[in-house]
Structure formats: C-alpha cells, structure tokens
Amino acid sequence: MAAYPENAAERDAWIITRRGLRSAVDPWRPWMYFVEEERSAAGEIAPVATVFLTNRECPWRCLMCDLWKNTLDRETPAGAIPAQIDYALGRLPGARQVKLYNSGSFFDRRAIPVEDHAAIAARIAGFERVIVECHPALVSADCFAFRDRLHGRLEVAMGLETVHPEILERLNKRMTLEQFRAAADRLREGDVDLRVFILVKPPFMREEESLEWAARSLDFAFDSGAMVATLIPTRGGNGAMEELAANGDFAPPRLETVEAAAEYGISLGRGRVFVDLWDLRRGAGCVECGERHVARLHAMNLLQCVLPRVECEECGCRS
C-alpha cells in the first residue's frame, strides 16, 4: 500500500484514487432531509429542519471526508437548490430553525449559485435561524449579502477539525489556524454566529493524546467566538481512511474518549457542545452498553449538563 504523501501537491490524487463510486443523486432533489431536536441558545429544545442539499462537489479534498459520495460531478444548475428546499420543506413537519447543509461550502458559487440566494432566502423566510456550512476561505461578501436577505439569524458552521498544527496540515484542508481565526473574526464583525466542527481523534493521532487535543480544539473554538461546537468521532468509509487504517495511521476513537471530550466541553459553560451520534454504538463494549452510552450522549446534547456515567456489568465498562 502506498504511504500517504508528505507533499501537499500529491495528496489530492492519493485521496481521489482511493474513492469508490458516487451515489446516484438528482440535482433537483435533496439527498436527505429530516427534523431533529437541538437545544437552542435560549435553552429551549427547538425542532430543526435539516436538509442535505445535492450540489457540486467541494473543491477541497479533505482526507477524512466522505461527503463527496452524494454530490454532483458538475456545477449545480440554476434553480435546483430552491427546488430542493421546496421538496424537503413540503414533506417535513414544522420547525423553527433550518440547516442547509451542502457537503461543502454554501458560499461556493459553483455549488450554490449566487443568483439563487434571493429565492433560497424567500423559501426560508419563516425560520428564526438559518445554519449553513462554509470553508473559512469562502467567508466573503456573499456571506454578508445573504445575511441581509434573511428574516432570521444567520449561523455559519466551519470545520476547525483539530488545533494540532501538523495533523491539521496533513488533513489536506488547505487551512491554517490563523486563517480559521481570521474567518471567525469576519463573521463576528459581520454579526453572524459561528458553529465549529471538531474531530475526535483525527488520523495520525494516538488514542492517548486525542482527549487533550479535542479539549484544546474546544478551547480554541470558543476563544474564536463559537456559540456551538460539534464533536465528530472520526470515522472511515471513504477509501482513504481504510488505507490509513491498514497502515496503522487511523482507528476510530474509543467511546470513552468521545464521552470525556463532551464532558469537558459542556463543563466549560462557554457555549453548547454537541456530539455527532451517527454510528457511535459500534465503539461500545456490548450491544446493551452501546445503546445506553448513545442515550446518555443524546440526553447530554439536549440538556447541556454532564450526566452520570454508564456502568455495565456485562462488559465491565464504566464510562
């Protein structure tokens, strides 16, 4: 197996050649949509309409990303994104907030045509908060022009991933901590709220150091003005991560590490801290244990307090 390139110019090709097939997606339909509950800044449990838009693939080739699977290999047609929003919202129950997640950057003009911004804003006029994703490099005038079209408040989610400088560079995100902080400053100055994504145990990181770096990343996120930090247990599934795993450079985090990171973040009291619970049960000691761990983290997401740890007689865990 070929080692992961140290040369940044070679990493895109290494990552792309290890991919599988894309899913068959329709540019006029979102690839997924649902309503979820999330604790709001006011401390209420608010229903959030979450729409995963179908659009052109992100121009960055991040090592850990699997979101390209549900993207187009061409530019998004004009009018497609408003049509996707109509399709999803017409089939979802009512919600107070909306997430328009697009497997990349909302302000990438080849993914979300800027000429559609007015139509998009019209469709989401009834929501009190609008949450979109963006790479720090694309926090620009388009972001603030879109803010001005909205009736609700704009929140931008950016992937910090990790504050470990060497590992951040190897993730192929083409971003430094200084660039992230500068983008966060632009959002604050433009009266736009910030949400941050943080990886728990990214590739090339040892288990025994992963909690410390997750905690440092949480500190940096809140120092940068984040209102929300979402902890994402790093997972495989994109081809590149499987090869790293075979070479000993990646393994998913242990569940107790994820829980400890959540406990640390919530105990800070500096903003809301959520854990992405997708496929998290597999990190537990047994089936019963997994269900209880995930239920605990789900409750912590909603309550924003640290709950008693799970004890399991079958596998002997206490975490």
Side-chain angles (χ1 to χ4, degrees):
M1 293 185 180
Y4 184 63
E6 293 299 324
N7 184 340
E10 299 173 358
R11 289 175 182 163
D12 279 12
W14 190 95
I15 291 166
I16 290 171
T17 57
R18 281 148 183 82
R19 288 182 174 182
L21 297 176
R22 295 177 195 264
S23 302
V25 292
D26 181 346
W28 300 93
R29 296 286 184 269
W31 63 270
M32 187 162 60
Y33 51 91
F34 50 82
V35 169
E36 60 184 330
E37 290 186 330
E38 185 172 289
R39 189 180 181 90
S40 73
E44 304 170 320
I45 307 303
V48 182
T50 302
V51 183
F52 290 89
L53 300 168
T54 301
N55 52 249
R56 174 187 178 268
E57 182 186 345
C58 177
W60 285 274
R61 307 288 187 263
C62 296
L63 175 61
M64 65 290 178
C65 181
D66 60 0
L67 300 176
W68 53 267
K69 293 179 180 180
N70 296 294
T71 59
L72 304 171
D73 59 3
R74 59 193 184 281
E75 290 191 20
T76 310
I81 299 301
Q84 292 182 41
I85 295 171
D86 285 341
Y87 187 91
L89 296 184
R91 290 161 174 78
L92 290 174
R96 291 169 45 188
Q97 303 181 13
V98 62
K99 294 177 182 175
L100 298 179
Y101 283 176
N102 71 305
S103 305
S105 296
F106 189 87
F107 301 109
D108 175 0
R109 291 186 169 202
R110 299 179 69 187
I112 310 290
V114 70
E115 57 266 34
D116 283 344
H117 282 191
I120 293 169
R123 270 119 176 121
I124 56 177
F127 292 98
E128 64 188 33
R129 180 171 292 268
V130 178
I131 305 161
V132 301
E133 301 170 300
C134 191
H135 189 285
L138 295 179
V139 175
S140 61
D142 286 349
C143 171
F144 305 112
F146 184 69
R147 171 207 61 195
D148 292 342
R149 295 183 183 275
L150 298 176
H151 293 268
R153 188 161 183 84
L154 179 60
E155 179 176 316
V156 171
M158 297 196 302
L160 170 61
E161 321 307 355
T162 181
V163 295
H164 191 299
E166 292 82 14
I167 291 178
L168 177 60
E169 191 275 331
R170 298 190 80 188
L171 294 181
N172 205 42
K173 193 176 180 71
R174 312 295 177 94
M175 177 197 80
T176 65
L177 296 178
E178 292 74 19
Q179 290 167 332
F180 182 95
R181 181 66 66 84
D185 289 345
R186 289 195 297 274
L187 291 173
R188 184 179 62 254
E189 292 163 3
D191 197 29
V192 174
D193 292 333
L194 172 64
R195 176 178 300 231
V196 174
F197 297 134
I198 294 169
L199 295 176
V200 180
K201 194 175 178 288
F204 311 113
M205 185 174 286
R206 300 189 309 274
E207 186 76 44
E208 57 268 27
E209 63 179 343
S210 57
L211 175 58
E212 175 188 353
W213 284 103
R216 289 192 187 189
S217 300
L218 284 161
D219 291 340
F220 185 92
F222 290 123
D223 287 345
S224 299
M227 294 183 64
V228 178
T230 298
L231 296 168
I232 302 176
T234 310
R235 59 179 180 261
N238 69 350
M241 298 295 280
E242 280 63 39
E243 184 148 341
L244 291 178
N247 287 334
D249 290 324
F250 169 68
R254 293 199 298 261
L255 189 51
E256 55 264 36
T257 302
V258 177
E259 290 184 290
E263 292 168 2
Y264 173 82
I266 291 172
S267 68
L268 290 175
R270 301 182 66 187
R272 287 162 289 153
V273 175
F274 303 133
V275 176
D276 182 350
L277 301 178
W278 186 86
D279 204 23
L280 195 56
R281 290 173 181 82
R282 64 182 177 181
C286 63
V287 174
E288 179 187 352
C289 206
E291 297 291 343
R292 293 170 62 200
H293 282 287
V294 172
R296 174 181 183 250
L297 286 171
H298 176 66
M300 286 169 57
N301 282 349
L302 295 179
L303 298 174
Q304 289 298 291
C305 65
V306 176
L307 298 176
R309 292 193 168 193
V310 169
E311 295 188 36
C312 179
E313 293 183 359
E314 177 142 348
C315 71
C317 82
R318 185 185 184 281
S319 63

